Amino acid sequence: MELPVVNLKMIILAHWLLTTWGCLVFFSSYAWANFTILAVGVWAVAQRDSIDAISMFLGGLVTTIFLDIVHISIFYPRSNNITDTVRFGAGMAILSLLLKPFSCCLVYHMYRERGGMLPLHTGFLGPSQEHSAYQTIDSPEAPADLYAGREGKGHSPQEY
C-alpha cells in the first residue's frame, strides 16, 4: 500500500490545531504531553537529516496515544449540562487521538526515508538485515587486494 506524501509540517500543524482546541476542556497534563511532543516535531522539521529527531517524534506520538486515552477517559466532563464549547473541545481531542495512528504511519515512513531501521530484531524472524562496512579482525575472509586495480597489474608497493 502506497502512503500519501504528506509534509511533516502539515502533520504538526494539524495536531497543534486539534491540541489547542482540545485544551479548551483538558488542561495541564494533556497540554504538556502534546505540546512537548509537537516541539520535538518542530525539531524534526528543523533537522531534516536527523534520525534521532524523527524517531523521538515517532516515539512521542505513540506515547501520547496512550496518554490521550488516559486523559480523555479520566477528565471527560460527566455533567448533564455540557456546553457547546466543552463538547467541541472534547471532540477535537478525540479527533486528534483518532488521527495519531495514521500520523504515526506517515512519520514512520519518513523515519525509514531518513535511513532509520526498525530496532526490534530478535533473530527468530530470519537473518539480520543489518549491513556494516566494518570487518572484524578474526574474520576468516581475506581482505580485498587494495593494489589489484593499479595499472591493470596486481603489483605490491615494493615492486614499484
Side-chain angles (χ1 to χ4, degrees):
M1 181 178 121
E2 191 69 27
L3 289 174
V5 177
V6 177
N7 193 347
L8 186 58
K9 294 175 191 174
M10 294 307 297
I11 294 171
I12 293 170
L13 178 65
H15 284 289
W16 176 80
L17 189 62
L18 293 172
T19 300
T20 301
W21 286 334
C23 286
L24 292 171
V25 178
F26 307 109
F27 319 112
S28 63
S29 59
Y30 176 82
W32 274 105
N34 283 287
F35 286 128
T36 302
I37 297 309
L38 291 174
V40 173
V42 170
W43 175 42
V45 169
Q47 300 286 325
R48 290 200 174 271
D49 297 330
S50 174
I51 295 173
D52 291 337
I54 196 77
S55 66
M56 286 182 66
F57 182 55
L58 178 60
L61 277 177
V62 171
T63 303
T64 56
I65 290 173
F66 172 73
L67 291 176
D68 287 355
I69 291 170
V70 171
H71 289 128
I72 293 170
S73 63
I74 290 175
F75 298 114
Y76 191 83
R78 305 268 189 250
S79 65
N80 291 335
N81 53 356
I82 297 176
T83 64
D84 291 338
T85 304
V86 171
R87 191 176 295 120
F88 175 77
M92 293 301 109
I94 292 169
L95 181 60
S96 176
L97 174 61
L98 293 174
L99 286 177
K100 280 186 182 177
F102 182 66
S103 296
C104 286
C105 291
L106 295 172
V107 172
Y108 178 71
H109 183 68
M110 293 173 199
Y111 169 73
R112 295 294 303 251
E113 285 177 350
R114 291 186 185 190
M117 302 270 292
L118 186 64
L120 304 172
H121 182 73
T122 57
F124 68 88
L125 298 174
S128 173
Q129 298 297 322
E130 184 177 333
H131 300 289
S132 177
Y134 298 105
Q135 185 177 12
T136 60
I137 293 174
D138 58 343
S139 175
E141 297 176 13
D145 186 11
L146 298 175
Y147 301 103
R150 197 175 262 202
E151 296 180 17
K153 301 176 184 175
H155 299 291
S156 67
Q158 290 81 18
E159 293 177 311
Y160 290 112

